[in-house]
Amino acid sequence: MMFGSIVSSPRGSLSPQKILELANVYLETAFNTTDPEIALVLCHDTEVSLSQARKSVQYQYDKNPTVTEGIATAYIGLGKLLESRGYVGGAQASLKKAEKLGGNSHDLTRPTDSYRPSSIKGILYSAGGLYNVGPTQQSSKLSTVALAHIFGENISPPTIQVKLPEPDERLDNTPQLVCCLGLLRVGQSTDTKLEPVALKWVQAIEKDKDEQERLYAIATDVIRAFKREEIKDVKVVAEVVCLAPVLDKDTFRDLLGGFYSGVNHSGLLNFQELEGIAQMIQGADPGHLKSDDLVKILELLSARLMGAHQQSSQHMYHLTMAVSHVLDAMADTKVTDLNREKLHEPLSLYLSELKKSSDPFLVYQAAYAFQALLCVPDDESTWQAAMRRTGKVIQGVSGLVTAVKGLDLVKFMEGLENIQKGAAGASKVAGVVKSTYDKVTSLVAGGQSFMNSLKEGFSFERKRDWYSALRGADALIQDGELATFKRLICEAPCRYDPAFQWGVCQRLGEMAADSKWDTVTRRSAIVFLGEIYRNDVMWGQQTSVKQWILNILMQLSSSPGGPSQSIAPAAETLLRELEASDDIKKQALYRACRESGPIAYPLKVALPELASPSLLDRVQNRPDVEGHIRILRKKLTKERGNAVYTQPQAKSSLQSADDSRFPLMDKVKEFLRSDQKVFLLLGESGAGKTTFSRELEFELWQSYKSKADRIPLHINLPAIDKPELDMIAKQLRRNEFTEAQIREMKHYRKFILICDGYDESQQTHNLYMSNRLNQDGEWDAQMVISCRTEYLGSDYRDRFQPGNRNEKLDSPLFQQAVITPFSIHQIHDHIRQYVSVHEPLWREEDYKQALDLIPSLRDLVKNPFLMTISLDVLPRMVDPGQHLSSARVTRVALYDHFVEQWLERGKKRLAEKEMSPSTREVFEKLSAEGFTLNGIEYMKKFALAIYKEQSGQPVVEYSQLIDQGSWKEAFFSSREMQLLREACPLTRHGNQHRFIHRSLLEYGLTRAVFDPQDRKNRPALEPTLGRRGSASSALSFEIHGIERELTTQSEQEPDQNSPLVWRSFVNDHSLLQFLEERVQQEKIFKAQLFAYIEHSKKDKKWRVAAANAITILVRAGEQFSRADFRGIRIPGADLSYGVFDSVQLQEADMRKVNLRGVWLRQTDLSRADMTGVQFGELPYLTMDSESSSCTFSPDGNSFAVGLSGGDIQVHLTSNWEIAMTLEGHEGNVRGVVYSPDGNLICSGSNDKTVRLWDVKSGACRHTLTDHTGIVFRVAYSPFGDQIASASGDATIRLWNPTLGRCYQILFGHGAAVLYVVYSPDGDQLASASVDSTARLWNALTGECTHILSGHIALVWAVAFSPQGDQVASASRDKTIRIWDANSGDCRHLLEGHGDGVSGIVYSLKGDQVFTGSEDGAVRVWDVQSKTCRRTMTGHSGAVFCVALSPKGDMVASGSHDKTARLWDVSVEGSLHVSSSHSQWVMDVKCSPDGKLIASGSGDSTIRFWDAETGGCKRILSGSRETILSVAFSPQGNPICSADADGSVRLWDVETGSCSHILTGHTNVVNSVAHSPWGYQVASASLDGTVRLWSTITGDNYGTLIGHEDGILSVAYSHDGGLIATSSKDGTVKLWDVRTTTCIITLAGHGRHGVQDIVFSPQGNQLASASEDRTVMLWNLTTGECHLTLSGHTDTVRRISYSPMGDLLASGSWDKTVRVWDVASGQCRAVIQHFQGCVFGVSWTPSSDGTFLVTGCEDGSVVKWQVIEGEEQCQVKLCWSATNGSLTMAGASIQGACGLTLANKQLLEQRGARGEPKNVFREAGRKLMTMASVVSQLRESFDGMVSDSSSITIVSGKEAQQQDEEQQQA
């Protein structure tokens, strides 16, 4: 009795001492009981009591230490008990609390039964109760310890983010209106605190009465629209209900009356309206409701309920739930003066009847409604007040208003205990917990258990605390106080009540289902459900509750497309875990629930999304956009189908390395999440741009959820007429949106534009700017736009980036990516998908085998479209039984087979199609004639017409009515054309027709040019000519009026209707690709092209065709040595990289011809018209001494060069003549700079002085002499008021230029300061030093602000970006670093120069840097992509300085070679890209079969060349440094290479893969050689050793040591028994391979290094080449030198014996190759004036003659034929692979017209002779200035300027005479 009375009393009223005594009673009972479950409940009560006792002690003013000690002691006892029962977690928690209170717990690991509690504790509900721990038994798989991680903290409740509108701005949605009106209502109330943005808005709107009236008027209109709505579904009800809390009183009551009337007068009860009444009451302002309102509502409900008792259980459930919500709302509202009996009587009778139902869900809802009814006319409780303060007004403005706290949990708990007082005690509760799962086989049985529990002590006759607890839980959930909610659930006195648990589970399920909660919260709710299900000890064994949990989880897991989508996997996972329970009874319960499936009672979630269009939209006259969007989305999603799609990879720019690739889709989505506006997607034809665009559109539509999201809009630009104007509206009209919808979307929606085919639409506009995107009143859009790479020039970004053309290129609003070719992994993945989807004849393994064996196939299929074609046609292209390695697959062959196969399939499809008899007759006729041939003919003519009539615009729109009589009718009207069109690779969208891929249109046109199946080239459609330029222009060469001229056609003439005649192909890369392959395959086509060139001599009507023809031939690798092209007309042709040696071009029309990198040696250009010819290069300036420094004047009119001799030369840029020479310095002038006004020149010199010169007079104004070391650089401040000088004395001095005095010295560098420069604003200085650092200084204070460390060698130069935010530094460590000028952090590292970087300057826009290096090259770097965009070679010595012209179009470089070179950096590159090496060729070797030539280069690549044609067959990449030597194995595979990084690599010749990297040398490897048997490789290194390697294993099994210095060359004897080595020590050694011992040492070259050695083919002779300029021939029998070959004037670098051994070739640093007679030592021929040193010579075995291959410092590989005569050898050029060096040696330009002065100077420097006719000196014309020359050259292509020398071939006799002359001299 005593125990019962204590439990039933309110514990909160006890003193701490009494509470402690109560806790000890619980603990004593727990120790004594044998039932573990009862013991656990008692432990929980002990914990709760102790927690409250501790809290009560804390609140006491006069604390009792005895009570505190007693609490600690009780905690220790509790910990012992829990540990003994197996609850380790709970024991540890209790012990920690005891320690905090001062208890001694060191002996707590050994529990003792002797412990007995001595004090009693009271109750305080804390978060640290027993529910935080749990048993370790298997029955509780998820310990209650997990609760500590569930709802760990209170969070912000879910909110709808809204934008506060400007006055008169159109509202986006109803929540926005609610927010506005709510803010106006709460204003500056004391209960709330406005966020700054909300406060600012309220303050503004409170002053604007008109805006307030407008907002309230809109709300009133929405209510009126609702009342007019005939069908009030859940969405329109939700919209007005969310408005209800912010309505004024009259409008609110009007709306409430509308709901009442709808419920009262409807025949069928509208649950949505009933729910609307409930929600309105809950959120109502206290002054808006009257007592009569509630009485009427209750009377209405009573009447409707009394008539619904015979309806279905499900109907009754929903009705009862709606009534419950109404009663909840009434209970939340303080109601007075109501007749309690009148309210309760009708409802209580109805609800009491429902307890007889067999449906547990209905019974629970009835019990809940009854409890709500009991609470309606009551005094306001704590939770009721909290519910009122967290009403709809605050929720509507959540995020902008901070509300006061709504519920005090401690007081709330006390209220619950007051409700519970008088109810059954703890023993009764324990009895509920002990109910079991016995005899549970169905939901009905479980429900009966629940109903019995209601009848036993939980009747409908008294108020229960579980209802109040649930309403408090609702208040906490609404405010986001989830941690407090967890405490309430776990500590409430009614926590064991099944009705309470049922309600808790329902609320947890609703939280999990509500997508407005974050994912973590929703998953936590699921975990909580699992805890309640599992932990019977904590929560009891109520079957109905367990069933309800399983039902909730099944609902959550079975809604993959609904709001539960993101948490469905979590629910399903939990269900699987529960299924695996070890409890047999739970397994039976689980199976029963699973078999029955989830019930039809859905979980209630937050308000649904609003209708579309919403009531607000209709009020504001908004059209229904969202409905149309849904239709479009479904259509586009359906069209995608089951496509084969491989995710593309991309790189950041065209110049970026392929190894910097990234997933393109990820990059684009990252862009879409940013604030950037334009994403440019580049790629070659067939790279997959369109496929990616469609996939992007699909994925964006998949993620589109609501109108807050951006709308993805795919725009096929060629299909839009004038997309530069309002293209979005045009596309939306194509998608059948109305004008009203388009206007709505323009002003209120956002877009993602996916613009595909910029190139195909032949655009030049900036579509972003011309469509005025993101400007006021215009479309809000991000743009992803695609374009072919080859369509654009060098400054293409101006066409795409937002802003004007003067903005810097790295705009933060612009981003780009370039689709990279497929990797082998992507290829294999694509094959796998293709085989799976299409099930072709070949298996996946067959395709992979073809990739490995068919030559060049792997390179072809790196293009995605070619990949698609290849997979389709390969099984047909390869004959059965044919070995794959013999199959020839080219790009054009793939298209040939693809088109034929497509047409054959189309024919088969048509044959199976239902046709009318007449149509069938036409089909049979076409088939009889050859359906495929007819189809190809249709393709050709259709493509021809598209180019003729639409200038290549690929989309053809055809309307039978509109286009009657037009050119289109021929392709669409007849049955014959209809059948062929259906069979061809065309696609149709509405009335728009196009080829399925742009490349097929181009293929069709090129097949009209030449059809291999029709050698006679049947006549095509007559062309319509385009017009470019003016007929009167000297530069215009398009043919006008040609149709009138072509009235007759001679049989001897070429086809005058060919597209070659009327359309220029020169700049169309894709078309040229097809045609150049045709040339290589079809000799007839080549002959036709030559015929066009020949006929152009006679008639100008062929000039376009001739220009096309010669361009195609050059691209196909045709070389024209000694051709007779006198009088040809080829204006506009692209001859770049062509070979035209000794060609007759007298009187040729060569206007606007591109001659970049052309070889025109000994070519006759007399009287040729060369107006507008593009060389891509500028002339250079020759100096008397080394050019150490250079600078342009600010106006660009002059150019000053500081020379090593001490002078300064000033050149006029108008004619590049010397204007003056400034003399006075006594040493190298290392620095020179103009003052900002251009009136002074400042210079610094080795003589330790700084001088100021007057530009006009040349007089020296000041000589500044304070430095004690060399003055390396000088700099003017931007305002001209300071000069800074950098000196070898490790200081920087700041000077006053007016006074000539030093006023500040900057110390800090630890060695000589080599460079100094001012920032653009003049506030900073940057300096570079020998101490390997750069420094940033404050120019005003002289303080060093940053030390830029990172270089590992001296820093030569620094430069500020034009914006001043970056600093670039150039170092001898061969790198450039880009630094942040504000933080001093290194942002980028640029690598690529072969030697130290000595000069650096930024471009005007800051997107590029130009660098000069000691390797002699000038490079252009892209700062953003960190890649080298261009390498300009030509200097023969180190580059010391670089300077940028004021216009930014020219870079000047000064060099050790006594020249200053001018580089045009504004010109674009030719579409014909050289495949040659970009740097010096260090070695060349011929394969044993003579079919391949291998070259190793300073560009770190090996290239294989076709020995017959000179075509580049393969490029081997992977080395990191210069490749110094290459050697084929005797079998031709593998090939080995020597790298400057000290490694040796073995490469597979067929696949290009590196099989071994051999490491061991400690210095550069200079030479490699294969043994005659092929299993061994020898490598010679500067480390003084030769290592022998196995080519099979890569092992090193021998080392030759004996030379005194580095070894330069190694060679095997032909029998493999000997190895010869040569060294820098001047000796040659012969070694026994077997013993690795030195046999003999050959000395004869003195101490001069021996560069190369080679055995004669007969094996009896050894040749050695040396730095002493000689070649020695050694007799291997005697070991003596029997012949010395002299004639070279510099080091002999490489030698090679001819196959017969009778001739020997030697290449030298003197830029010549000599051919020697081995027997006599006579020089038989000299090939003179190469563009650089000759590093490689090799003879190639051939039965057709004797051929020699050379590799040069200029990057060229050239094959020569050596024809032996009686006394001398004749040498002829076979082919050359050059890297773009213009060569004019011996060319005649006598009388050539149209050349500019700059061009004339350039050609003369390149070796041309003769006096051209300068068209600019005719009457009335002025001499062209250099500035205008540069302006013209902007239209030319990128050039690579070379040395002035060029190649000349002389006979042996002439060479001997020259040698004699030199000796005499």
Side-chain angles (χ1 to χ4, degrees), residues 1738-1754:
S1738 180
W1739 297 84
T1740 173
S1742 173
S1743 59
D1744 299 331
T1746 305
F1747 297 91
L1748 180 67
V1749 179
T1750 59
C1752 182
E1753 184 184 11
D1754 65 2

Side-chain angles (χ1 to χ4, degrees), residues 790-845:
E790 57 266 26
Y791 182 75
L792 303 174
S794 61
D795 289 332
Y796 59 84
R797 296 188 191 182
D798 290 343
R799 301 192 193 180
F800 301 101
Q801 71 175 10
N804 59 57
R805 292 181 178 268
N806 293 324
E807 290 187 10
K808 63 178 184 179
L809 295 185
D810 54 346
S811 167
L813 301 179
F814 175 79
Q815 189 177 162
Q816 69 170 343
V818 183
I819 298 181
T820 57
F822 270 174
S823 65
I824 190 63
H825 173 75
Q826 289 174 294
I827 292 171
H828 287 169
D829 178 62
H830 200 87
I831 292 173
R832 178 187 54 77
Q833 291 188 64
Y834 179 85
V835 172
S836 174
V837 173
H838 295 286
E839 299 181 355
L841 294 176
W842 277 13
R843 300 168 303 168
E844 184 177 345
E845 295 74 18

Side-chain angles (χ1 to χ4, degrees), residues 746-758:
K746 182 173 184 178
H747 294 292
Y748 302 106
R749 302 304 296 272
K750 298 179 180 180
F751 286 84
I752 297 172
L753 305 181
I754 307 170
C755 301
D756 188 32
Y758 181 87

Side-chain angles (χ1 to χ4, degrees), residues 176-345:
Q176 187 183 29
L177 177 60
V178 173
C179 180
C180 294
L181 296 179
L183 285 174
L184 291 175
R185 285 177 65 84
V186 300
Q188 311 272 345
S189 67
T190 57
D191 286 351
T192 57
K193 179 182 178 182
L194 295 179
E195 294 296 321
V197 62
L199 179 60
K200 181 179 180 181
W201 185 86
V202 169
Q203 291 172 343
I205 300 301
E206 284 180 342
K207 301 175 183 177
D208 191 341
K209 300 300 181 183
D210 292 338
E211 179 63 10
Q212 294 180 45
E213 292 178 4
R214 183 182 80 93
L215 294 173
Y216 282 113
I218 292 175
T220 303
D221 290 342
V222 170
I223 303 305
R224 291 172 181 168
F226 170 75
K227 295 178 69 174
R228 292 193 299 267
E229 197 77 7
E230 293 185 6
I231 301 177
K232 295 178 172 59
D233 61 15
V234 64
K235 292 186 176 181
V236 295
V237 169
E239 185 171 1
V240 295
V241 164
C242 79
L243 262 176
V246 297
L247 298 175
D248 60 75
K249 181 176 180 179
D250 293 339
T251 307
F252 175 87
R253 295 186 56 75
D254 183 49
L255 176 60
L256 184 62
F259 275 119
Y260 179 91
S261 178
V263 175
N264 190 28
H265 295 97
S266 61
L268 296 175
L269 187 61
N270 188 323
F271 296 115
Q272 284 78 28
E273 290 188 274
L274 193 61
E275 181 69 22
I277 291 176
Q279 292 177 10
M280 283 193 67
I281 294 173
Q282 280 183 310
D285 188 283
H288 287 8
L289 282 174
K290 297 180 180 179
S291 297
D292 289 346
D293 298 331
L294 300 178
V295 172
K296 289 180 181 180
I297 292 171
L298 285 178
E299 289 175 347
L300 175 62
L301 291 176
S302 177
R304 297 309 300 258
L305 292 172
M306 292 299 292
H309 64 277
Q310 294 182 344
Q311 299 192 32
S312 68
S313 176
Q314 185 177 357
H315 182 86
M316 297 295 288
Y317 172 81
H318 286 290
L319 178 58
T320 307
M321 177 178 282
V323 172
S324 299
H325 293 157
V326 173
L327 291 171
D328 280 344
M330 297 176 72
D332 294 345
T333 306
K334 186 176 183 180
V335 180
T336 59
D337 300 329
L338 291 180
N339 187 322
R340 184 181 183 89
E341 296 300 325
K342 186 177 180 180
L343 285 172
H344 280 204
E345 183 178 352

Side-chain angles (χ1 to χ4, degrees), residues 694-749:
R694 287 297 185 185
E695 183 67 17
L696 174 62
E697 178 193 29
F698 172 76
E699 292 196 15
L700 292 176
W701 275 123
Q702 291 296 102
S703 61
Y704 181 86
K705 301 300 180 186
S706 68
K707 59 184 180 181
D709 297 332
R710 288 185 177 269
I711 301 171
L713 187 64
H714 186 279
I715 302 178
N716 181 17
L717 292 175
I720 301 292
D721 181 39
K722 296 182 179 179
E724 63 271 17
L725 300 174
D726 208 14
M727 66 175 173
I728 300 179
K730 292 175 182 177
Q731 180 62 39
L732 292 174
R733 293 187 190 104
R734 291 173 55 82
N735 291 337
E736 301 180 353
F737 284 89
T738 66
E739 294 302 316
Q741 289 172 327
I742 293 173
R743 286 193 298 272
E744 172 71 15
M745 288 190 285
K746 182 173 184 178
H747 294 292
Y748 302 106
R749 302 304 296 272

Side-chain angles (χ1 to χ4, degrees), residues 1159 1161 1484 1493 1730 1748-1752 1756-1760 1773-1778 1847:
W1159 281 24
R1161 295 168 300 183
V1484 289
I1493 295 168
F1730 281 87
L1748 180 67
V1749 179
T1750 59
C1752 182
S1756 64
V1757 177
V1758 184
K1759 181 181 177 181
W1760 313 85
L1773 175 73
C1774 299
W1775 54 257
S1776 66
T1778 69
I1847 297 176

Side-chain angles (χ1 to χ4, degrees), residues 967-987:
W967 66 271
K968 302 176 186 178
E969 190 174 23
F971 299 97
F972 292 93
S973 59
S974 67
R975 289 194 183 96
E976 180 182 5
M977 296 297 103
Q978 181 181 354
L979 291 172
L980 292 174
R981 188 177 69 252
E982 289 184 25
C984 282
L986 301 169
T987 183

